[in-house]
Amino acid sequence: MTRLVRPATTLRNFLKLAAVATVGTLSLGLVSGPAQAQDWPSGTVQLIVPAKPGGGTDAAARLISAALSEKTGGDFAVVNVDGGGGAIAVEQVRGADPDGLKLLFYHTSFLATYHTGGYQHSPMEAFTLIAAMPVAGSFSLAVAADAPYQSVEELIAATKEKPNKITLGVQLRGSTHFMAGLLTMDSDASFRIVEAGSDADKLVQLQGHQIDAALVNTPGALQYVQAGKLRVLGTISGSPGRDPNADGFPSLAELGYENTVYGLDFLVMGPTGMDEGIVAEINAAFEAVLTDPDISEQLTTMRLPISHLGVGESRTRLVSSDKRVKDTAEMLGLSH
């Protein structure tokens, strides 16, 4: 990774100026406090990731964390907090001091967890949104390499021949649960949808034949495909076309399951009461990382191309995403 030649103090001054310029445009509601730029980071920053090491979210967080350290001169640490469908991790952030030193690095499945009753505090009200970062990647419907299913059609047919016998691993009340619901509605499949934990857990269970199929992040799945351990039958993303970073696999929408379209954004969130200047400063730091050509190339290589949005754009996007997730939960009968 290429280091910046300018000193960290120079970047800090840049971030402070960016924060001052941005504060006046921040939307109210998700952030509060006096509008003044601060020195951030003022200590070690923890990025709390609600997953075990090894999945796509963890990989992205570690790459970004290292780049943030180089660009700001501060100390950053990824802390994996698994369990409770992400609730344990997000609670650590919700109850933290609003100083920007403990941040949630997650994705919009957080919205799904809330709207299906898996978490009681609204992400829109109980946290400060710092950045929404759209991901151009996809999720894969995967099976073990030696599974008898060569296509989505064969897998769906098997569920109809053996209703509620073919297990589909998801993270209940999360985005993969929504994807499974959309596929079921589109295909009249009769999966037995089961809790299988994080991507790392699902990948292990697929190889051990503890589950028949799973919805997992495509970058993580492809590593196992290349090793001859998994087979990807199709992909799901926020658009009906193929994932350009995995264009050898058809999208489920392309195969005729037209409503099985569901995308994710990574989210950076903090507790309520954060200073608007710190929020803008952190957002600017993430922008510096995500627009760095070296980092962008690494994320693309990982099949996790991530783009950056400013604070105002992030808030607008999250409001829209929240409504779509809420409506989808109601349509699937999953809303609490």
Side-chain angles (χ1 to χ4, degrees):
M1 188 179 299
T2 303
R3 289 183 176 269
L4 294 185
V5 294
R6 61 184 177 187
T9 52
T10 302
L11 181 61
R12 282 184 175 173
N13 289 337
F14 167 77
L15 295 178
K16 288 165 72 175
L17 288 172
V20 171
T22 307
V23 162
T25 66
L26 295 183
S27 301
L28 298 179
L30 291 182
V31 294
S32 60
Q36 56 185 355
Q38 303 288 325
D39 284 324
W40 180 89
S42 59
T44 299
V45 179
Q46 293 184 339
L47 294 184
I48 307 297
V49 176
K52 292 180 180 178
T57 302
D58 174 68
R62 291 183 183 279
L63 175 60
I64 291 172
S65 173
L68 285 168
S69 180
E70 289 195 359
K71 289 184 178 294
T72 67
D75 294 324
F76 290 78
V78 172
V79 180
N80 298 89
V81 182
D82 191 32
I88 298 173
V90 297
E91 276 296 281
Q92 287 191 13
V93 175
R94 190 177 72 88
D97 291 333
D99 54 10
L101 297 183
K102 184 172 284 190
L103 303 174
L104 179 68
F105 189 95
Y106 202 17
H107 43 67
T108 41
S109 65
F110 186 15
L111 303 175
T113 302
Y114 169 68
H115 284 296
T116 57
Y119 184 66
Q120 61 179 330
H121 301 289
S122 168
M124 305 293 292
E125 299 173 0
F127 296 84
T128 296
L129 176 66
I130 297 168
M133 301 173 292
V135 183
S138 65
F139 274 71
S140 289
L141 178 61
V143 297
D146 59 354
Y149 321 110
Q150 300 294 325
S151 66
V152 176
E153 290 82 358
E154 289 185 10
L155 179 63
I156 298 297
T159 73
K160 295 177 180 179
E161 293 173 5
K162 302 176 182 178
N164 300 312
K165 298 294 185 182
I166 307 298
T167 52
L168 176 58
V170 303
Q171 191 166 47
L172 292 179
R173 299 190 178 94
S175 291
T176 51
H177 194 177
F178 275 51
M179 295 174 197
L182 292 170
L183 176 58
T184 298
M185 290 181 64
D186 267 359
S187 64
D188 292 324
S190 184
F191 288 106
R192 180 159 65 90
I193 297 174
V194 298
E195 169 63 54
S198 66
D199 277 1
D201 295 319
K202 293 173 197 169
L203 291 166
V204 170
Q205 292 176 61
L206 277 173
Q207 294 172 81
H209 299 92
Q210 295 158 305
I211 52 178
D212 298 303
L215 286 163
V216 296
N217 194 287
T218 297
L222 291 183
Q223 297 178 36
Y224 290 85
V225 171
Q226 292 163 0
K229 297 179 179 179
L230 289 183
R231 180 184 302 135
V232 168
L233 304 182
T235 62
I236 303 172
S237 66
S239 61
R242 294 192 178 198
D243 179 348
N245 293 297
D247 59 6
F249 305 99
S251 70
L252 268 68
E254 169 190 341
L255 294 173
Y257 309 107
E258 297 178 357
N259 295 311
T260 310
V261 175
Y262 198 100
L264 286 181
D265 294 347
F266 281 124
L267 302 174
V268 180
M269 308 181 90
T272 57
M274 287 187 66
D275 177 87
E276 293 181 354
I278 291 178
V279 170
E281 202 168 336
I282 298 172
N283 183 284
F286 274 83
E287 179 181 16
V289 167
L290 295 176
T291 56
D292 182 305
D294 290 339
I295 303 302
S296 179
E297 182 179 355
Q298 289 182 65
L299 288 168
T300 299
T301 300
M302 292 164 59
R303 296 184 175 87
L304 276 174
I306 304 171
S307 55
H308 170 268
L309 296 177
V311 178
E313 292 176 296
S314 294
R315 181 181 184 277
T316 299
R317 186 175 177 91
L318 190 65
V319 169
S320 175
S321 297
D322 185 67
K323 183 180 185 306
R324 183 173 188 271
V325 169
K326 181 176 182 293
D327 291 345
T328 303
E330 291 174 351
M331 178 183 69
L332 296 175
L334 298 174
S335 58
H336 64 91

